[in-house]
Amino acid sequence: MSRINVMIPWLGTEEVAAVTEVLESGWVAQGPRVAAFEEAFAARMQAEHAIAVSNCTTGLHLALVVAGVGAGDDVVVPSFSFIATSNAPTYVGARPVFADVDPETGNLTADSVKSALTPQTTAVIVVDQGGVPVDLRAIRELCDPLGVVVIEDAACGAGSTYAGRPVGAGAEIAAWSFHPRKIVTTGEGGMITTSRADWALRARRLREHAMSVSAADRHGSTLAPAEEYLEIGFNYRMTDLQAAVGIVQLGRLDEVVERRRELAAHYQEELGDVRGLRCVADPAHGTSNFQSFWVEVGADYPLSRDELLEHLAAQDISARRGIMAAHRQPAYAGVDHGPLPVTERLTDDTLILPLFHQMTQTEQDRVIRAVRA
Ligand SMILES: *Cc1c(COP(=O)(O)O)cnc(C)c1O
């Protein structure tokens, strides 16, 4: 019996050819492939502007900078998310304020955001957790009149839909991840999408040291124009090697999501009637790419969550503990927060089952049998 991993990226010979072509061109840093990837990504996600960055964490950082969030501000975030969602506000000197999540979706709701707002709140970071779309409209209806910027952490969301459109399309600004644990991968990588031309322009500059002339333009000309550094920027660039992979991966997105949804539906069918188990599902307002297929292990199931993980590991099935809770990490020890009962329950009682494009029916049936047993 061979090991079944929780996730395996789907990479093929087209990615190899695309990288080879970039290597042979001699231009490996940010250049024409990054520009082409940005254009393709904006079109696919129905976004007006896309700015490639080094990863989603740096994307969230830049999103907060261009939105004007800074020292003394409060930023509402779900504790129930990868730690980067909480770290980004800290980078700009703001304070993350943890809000609880909906028990069905694992996402912030207008009610949970409302109860976490303070007079200092200038932004909220909402997450499409595990690919489940957040109910963005309800949260923007609350926040827009208050002048509170809503930033969408769509790290897991490529290929999910909200109200009939790609997630992120309804956001003023969103950040995406191309880590191999996500649906589209470039090894490491990220993207910012935004509807605002002024934010796009500033993010584009800030990602390369806030230079007045892009490095690609400078090196592309024989007599390079003199550049100026307009403010203190960062080096958050993506490379053309990564973008070449991203362009191929983006072309595979629809096929990947279709297969993931098929596998998720099979899990739901086969595990839906198991006492004490609850499977993640599409919310009423959209569809998930099932980036993470999680199940909640209730009191009626014969094993605890950790016992089920051990039981699966004994059969060479590598499941994972569910989404983490930032407020329980040493990095945030001593940070004040309100009660987070749903976050704590979900982080304690959920686990993520293997689900990847190349997964065979035999492999999935092995996981299903192990859980049912
Ligand atoms: C993975 C992830 C990130 C971080 O993405 P990187 O590209 O690795 O920086 C941020 N937020 C969420 C919700 C994530 O799942």
Side-chain angles (χ1 to χ4, degrees), residues 213-227:
V213 187
S214 79
D217 286 347
R218 272 193 319 129
H219 295 295
S221 49
T222 310
L223 178 61
E227 81 278 13

Side-chain angles (χ1 to χ4, degrees), residues 55-58 60 81-82 84-85 127 129 153 155-156 176-179 182 188-190:
N55 55 63
C56 180
T57 308
T58 54
L60 288 170
S81 184
F82 182 62
T85 311
V127 179
Q129 193 51 259
D153 177 346
C156 310
W176 308 75
S177 173
F178 307 129
H179 184 273
K182 313 298 161 80
E188 294 275 0

Side-chain angles (χ1 to χ4, degrees), residues 238-274:
M238 178 184 274
T239 68
D240 263 22
L241 290 166
Q242 294 166 304
V245 175
I247 292 166
V248 179
Q249 286 269 302
L250 193 63
R252 297 181 189 278
L253 179 60
D254 291 343
E255 195 183 340
V256 169
V257 171
E258 194 186 325
R259 177 65 183 146
R260 296 188 71 86
R261 288 183 58 79
E262 240 170 59
L263 289 162
H266 191 59
Y267 270 141
Q268 286 162 340
E269 265 164 43
E270 297 298 321
L271 300 176
D273 65 340
V274 175

